[in-house]
Amino acid sequence: MLLTIDCGNTNTVFAIWDGTAFVDSWRRATNHQSTADEYYTWLRTSMSLRGIDVAITDCIISSTVPRVVFNLRVLCDRYFDTRPWVVGKPETKLPIDTRVDAGTAVGPDRLVNTVAGYNRHGGDIIIVDFGTATTFDVADSDGAYIGGVIAPGVNLSLEALHMAAAALPHVDITQPLRVVGTNTVACMQSGVFWGYVGLIKEITARIRAERDRPMKVIATGGLAPLFQQGEDLFDAYEEDLTMHGLTVIHKYNKENT
């Protein structure tokens, strides 16, 4: 069984892949102080609660938080007796090229998403990921990663608005009934929701115009379905895009090592 680990700035997701499908997945807050022992205890308890008792034989990690990687590697070494593949490290190869400016370090999550998007949808795609940041990643016709766009995440924008303006409350993001709000909460929700709809439309339109070709827009991340409501923003929504990409990269390295 393969343990896939996607460590983001806010949450870390663990999932078990049996070769054809994911057995189950678990999510916890990202904390660079968590030890390998804590990870193992939490993971085994979570598996036991769902009646899952399988042997982990392989591990692969993607992390946007470098400080967390060491303890995740220790987890794999100590408790599963396997050396994990770590996306972004020289020994972990990608099945796609990366064509960006020399010396540019591309986030592992963005590369993994591009691998997954190309595997499922082919080339000439734009992947919109709603995470701590809202990212737009572009794959060429052959699947190569050729760059993208980084914007503040939706929840990050709301939190910044709340913290910078003492009179503004903390609100949840939702689609407002009207564009023009008649109270503070409705005004903030409208500004963020329709502001991001406009952001997505404008950036994807400009990428298509710059590339001068049809391009599919693939969305991932928890807020993607919200922004799809009543708007023709995406050609597809992939809930497990990053985890799928990790299985593709793992298979590629197993077959080419």
Short mmCIF file of all heavy atoms in Angstrom, two decimals, residues 114-125 139-143 216 218:
data_model
loop_
_atom_site.label_atom_id
_atom_site.label_comp_id
_atom_site.label_asym_id
_atom_site.label_seq_id
_atom_site.Cartn_x
_atom_site.Cartn_y
_atom_site.Cartn_z
N THR A 114 -0.03 19.73 -11.73
CA THR A 114 0.16 19.74 -13.18
C THR A 114 0.29 18.32 -13.72
O THR A 114 -0.29 17.98 -14.76
CB THR A 114 1.40 20.57 -13.56
OG1 THR A 114 1.25 21.90 -13.04
CG2 THR A 114 1.58 20.65 -15.06
N VAL A 115 1.04 17.49 -13.00
CA VAL A 115 1.16 16.08 -13.39
C VAL A 115 -0.21 15.42 -13.42
O VAL A 115 -0.57 14.71 -14.36
CB VAL A 115 2.10 15.33 -12.42
CG1 VAL A 115 2.01 13.82 -12.63
CG2 VAL A 115 3.55 15.80 -12.60
N ALA A 116 -0.99 15.65 -12.36
CA ALA A 116 -2.32 15.03 -12.27
C ALA A 116 -3.25 15.56 -13.34
O ALA A 116 -4.00 14.80 -13.97
CB ALA A 116 -2.91 15.29 -10.89
N GLY A 117 -3.23 16.88 -13.56
CA GLY A 117 -4.11 17.47 -14.57
C GLY A 117 -3.80 16.94 -15.95
O GLY A 117 -4.71 16.61 -16.73
N TYR A 118 -2.52 16.83 -16.29
CA TYR A 118 -2.13 16.31 -17.60
C TYR A 118 -2.52 14.84 -17.74
O TYR A 118 -2.97 14.40 -18.80
CB TYR A 118 -0.63 16.49 -17.80
CG TYR A 118 -0.12 15.97 -19.12
CD1 TYR A 118 -0.56 16.52 -20.33
CD2 TYR A 118 0.79 14.93 -19.18
CE1 TYR A 118 -0.11 16.05 -21.55
CE2 TYR A 118 1.27 14.46 -20.40
CZ TYR A 118 0.81 15.02 -21.58
OH TYR A 118 1.27 14.54 -22.78
N ASN A 119 -2.35 14.08 -16.67
CA ASN A 119 -2.69 12.66 -16.69
C ASN A 119 -4.17 12.44 -16.95
O ASN A 119 -4.57 11.51 -17.66
CB ASN A 119 -2.27 12.01 -15.37
CG ASN A 119 -2.62 10.54 -15.29
OD1 ASN A 119 -3.64 10.16 -14.72
ND2 ASN A 119 -1.77 9.70 -15.87
N ARG A 120 -5.00 13.32 -16.39
CA ARG A 120 -6.45 13.13 -16.51
C ARG A 120 -7.08 13.89 -17.67
O ARG A 120 -8.10 13.46 -18.21
CB ARG A 120 -7.15 13.54 -15.21
CG ARG A 120 -7.00 12.54 -14.10
CD ARG A 120 -7.75 12.97 -12.84
NE ARG A 120 -7.84 11.87 -11.89
CZ ARG A 120 -8.31 11.98 -10.65
NH1 ARG A 120 -8.74 13.18 -10.23
NH2 ARG A 120 -8.37 10.94 -9.83
N HIS A 121 -6.49 15.01 -18.07
CA HIS A 121 -7.15 15.88 -19.05
C HIS A 121 -6.29 16.23 -20.26
O HIS A 121 -6.76 16.94 -21.15
CB HIS A 121 -7.60 17.18 -18.38
CG HIS A 121 -8.56 16.96 -17.26
ND1 HIS A 121 -9.91 16.78 -17.45
CD2 HIS A 121 -8.37 16.90 -15.90
CE1 HIS A 121 -10.51 16.62 -16.29
NE2 HIS A 121 -9.59 16.67 -15.33
N GLY A 122 -5.05 15.75 -20.30
CA GLY A 122 -4.19 16.10 -21.42
C GLY A 122 -3.57 17.49 -21.24
O GLY A 122 -3.66 18.09 -20.18
N GLY A 123 -2.94 17.97 -22.31
CA GLY A 123 -2.24 19.25 -22.23
C GLY A 123 -3.12 20.46 -22.48
O GLY A 123 -4.33 20.34 -22.64
N ASP A 124 -2.48 21.63 -22.52
CA ASP A 124 -3.17 22.91 -22.68
C ASP A 124 -4.27 23.07 -21.64
O ASP A 124 -5.46 23.18 -21.95
CB ASP A 124 -3.75 23.03 -24.10
CG ASP A 124 -2.65 23.21 -25.14
OD1 ASP A 124 -1.64 23.87 -24.84
OD2 ASP A 124 -2.82 22.69 -26.26
N ILE A 125 -3.85 23.09 -20.38
CA ILE A 125 -4.80 23.23 -19.28
C ILE A 125 -4.34 24.32 -18.32
O ILE A 125 -3.14 24.63 -18.23
CB ILE A 125 -4.99 21.91 -18.49
CG1 ILE A 125 -3.63 21.38 -17.99
CG2 ILE A 125 -5.71 20.87 -19.32
CD1 ILE A 125 -3.75 20.17 -17.09
N ALA A 139 -0.17 24.23 -18.08
CA ALA A 139 0.55 23.12 -18.70
C ALA A 139 0.50 23.27 -20.22
O ALA A 139 -0.56 23.58 -20.79
CB ALA A 139 -0.05 21.79 -18.28
N ASP A 140 1.63 23.05 -20.86
CA ASP A 140 1.73 23.12 -22.32
C ASP A 140 1.05 21.90 -22.94
O ASP A 140 0.57 21.01 -22.24
CB ASP A 140 3.20 23.19 -22.72
CG ASP A 140 3.41 23.94 -24.03
OD1 ASP A 140 2.44 24.10 -24.80
OD2 ASP A 140 4.55 24.36 -24.30
N SER A 141 1.06 21.84 -24.24
CA SER A 141 0.39 20.74 -24.95
C SER A 141 0.99 19.39 -24.60
O SER A 141 0.30 18.36 -24.67
CB SER A 141 0.45 20.98 -26.46
OG SER A 141 1.79 21.15 -26.88
N ASP A 142 2.29 19.35 -24.24
CA ASP A 142 2.93 18.09 -23.87
C ASP A 142 2.94 17.87 -22.36
O ASP A 142 3.60 16.95 -21.87
CB ASP A 142 4.36 18.05 -24.41
CG ASP A 142 5.25 19.14 -23.82
OD1 ASP A 142 4.73 20.04 -23.13
OD2 ASP A 142 6.47 19.09 -24.05
N GLY A 143 2.21 18.69 -21.62
CA GLY A 143 2.11 18.54 -20.18
C GLY A 143 3.16 19.29 -19.38
O GLY A 143 3.10 19.31 -18.15
N LYS A 216 -8.43 24.12 -21.33
CA LYS A 216 -9.37 23.69 -20.31
C LYS A 216 -8.97 24.27 -18.96
O LYS A 216 -7.79 24.39 -18.66
CB LYS A 216 -9.40 22.17 -20.21
CG LYS A 216 -9.99 21.45 -21.41
CD LYS A 216 -9.97 19.95 -21.17
CE LYS A 216 -10.53 19.19 -22.37
NZ LYS A 216 -10.48 17.73 -22.16
N ILE A 218 -9.21 23.54 -15.04
CA ILE A 218 -9.49 22.50 -14.05
C ILE A 218 -9.36 23.10 -12.66
O ILE A 218 -8.34 23.72 -12.34
CB ILE A 218 -8.50 21.32 -14.20
CG1 ILE A 218 -8.34 20.91 -15.68
CG2 ILE A 218 -8.92 20.16 -13.33
CD1 ILE A 218 -9.62 20.50 -16.35
#
